[in-house]
């Protein structure tokens, strides 16, 4: 029960921090640009994409990756051309009409992350400071494991990538402090 309450506290703090980071601070929009001619682009994408998914432009069919001549030709044709990483949803973004389901999924995501962090914090440390550092280290680990490869391989903008670090690190340090405080209550009472 102690881990569950700790996780719930961490999830609430992280969820609130996420709202602040995206609604009151520029962290949530870092690296994002407003596209021009949106209708024309979406029309072109609907003709290019074969249903929902992640698309990279330009792309080469995976079965041709082993063909050295095809690979050289692809590189020569596309050297210096624009590149795009696109998440395509032909049915639109349901969050435009109702953010409720997305907010619920986000809270559940925060809860699972906080429960994992609470478990590790309870196992690994007995001091407030170490528990907070564990939460921060978990945030940095996740950033290195996910955001840095997206920056490296898929060319996510550096400001977007660094903002992801700021959002996660600040959030999990705040949540970690609240969680460490809760975990240490009983220990302080018995000391």
């Amino acid at each position: 029960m102690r881990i569950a309450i700790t996780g719930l506290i961490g999830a609430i703090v992280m969820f609130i921090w996420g709202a602040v980071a995206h609604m009151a601070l520029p962290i949530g929009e870092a690296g994002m640009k407003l596209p021009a001619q949106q209708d024309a682009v979406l029309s072109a994408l609907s003709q290019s994409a074969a249903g929902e998914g992640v698309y990279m432009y330009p792309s080469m069919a995976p079965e041709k990756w082993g063909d050295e001549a095809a690979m050289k030709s692809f590189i020569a044709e596309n050297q210096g051309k624009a590149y795009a990483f696109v998440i395509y949803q032909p049915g639109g973004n349901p969050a435009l009409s109702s953010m409720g389901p997305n907010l619920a999924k986000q809270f559940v995501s925060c809860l699972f992350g906080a429960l994992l962090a609470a478990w590790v914090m309870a196992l690994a440390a007995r001091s407030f400071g170490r528990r907070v550092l564990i939460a921060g280290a978990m945030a940095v680990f996740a950033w290195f494991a996910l955001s840095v490869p997206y920056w490296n391989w898929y060319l996510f903008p550096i400001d977007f990538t660094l903002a992801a670090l700021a959002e996660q690190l600040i959030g999990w340090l705040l949540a970690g402090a609240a969680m460490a405080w809760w975990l240490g209550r009983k220990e302080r009472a018995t000391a």
Side-chain angles (χ1 to χ4, degrees):
M1 188 59 134
R2 179 173 165 232
I3 300 295
I5 293 171
T6 304
L8 183 59
I9 290 168
I12 291 168
V13 171
M14 191 63 190
F15 187 78
I16 291 169
W17 163 249
V20 170
H22 285 264
M23 294 168 57
L25 300 174
I27 295 172
E29 289 78 35
M32 301 236 183
K33 308 284 187 210
L34 183 64
Q37 302 177 5
Q38 295 180 52
D39 290 338
V41 171
L42 290 172
S43 177
L45 283 172
S46 71
Q47 296 171 32
S48 171
E52 79 174 48
V54 177
Y55 294 87
M56 291 191 316
Y57 294 92
S59 285
M60 184 172 145
E63 59 270 9
K64 293 185 178 180
W65 292 350
D67 181 341
E68 191 175 332
M71 184 64 84
K72 283 182 180 181
S73 175
F74 176 79
I75 292 169
E77 289 172 16
N78 294 291
Q79 194 80 27
K81 280 188 180 177
Y83 165 81
F85 185 89
V86 177
I87 295 102
Y88 182 71
Q89 292 290 337
N93 184 350
L96 292 176
S97 60
S98 173
M99 293 179 83
N102 295 79
L103 291 170
K105 288 185 269 187
Q106 184 63 41
F107 184 79
V108 169
S109 172
C110 289
L111 181 60
F112 284 141
L115 287 169
L116 177 61
W119 177 68
V120 172
M121 290 165 74
L123 283 176
R126 293 286 178 223
S127 78
F128 177 85
R130 285 187 179 174
R131 285 179 171 146
V132 173
L133 285 175
I134 287 169
M138 291 176 77
V140 173
F141 171 81
W143 181 74
F144 274 116
L146 186 64
S147 294
V148 171
Y150 282 6
W151 162 78
N152 180 39
W153 293 104
Y154 302 121
L155 307 179
F156 278 37
I158 191 67
D159 48 352
F160 181 89
T161 304
L162 292 174
L165 174 62
E167 181 182 352
Q168 294 303 307
L169 183 57
I170 293 168
W172 284 110
L173 287 173
L174 292 170
M179 295 163 69
W181 170 80
W182 180 262
L183 284 171
R185 279 174 43 267
K186 192 172 190 179
E187 293 162 6
R188 286 189 300 276
T190 58

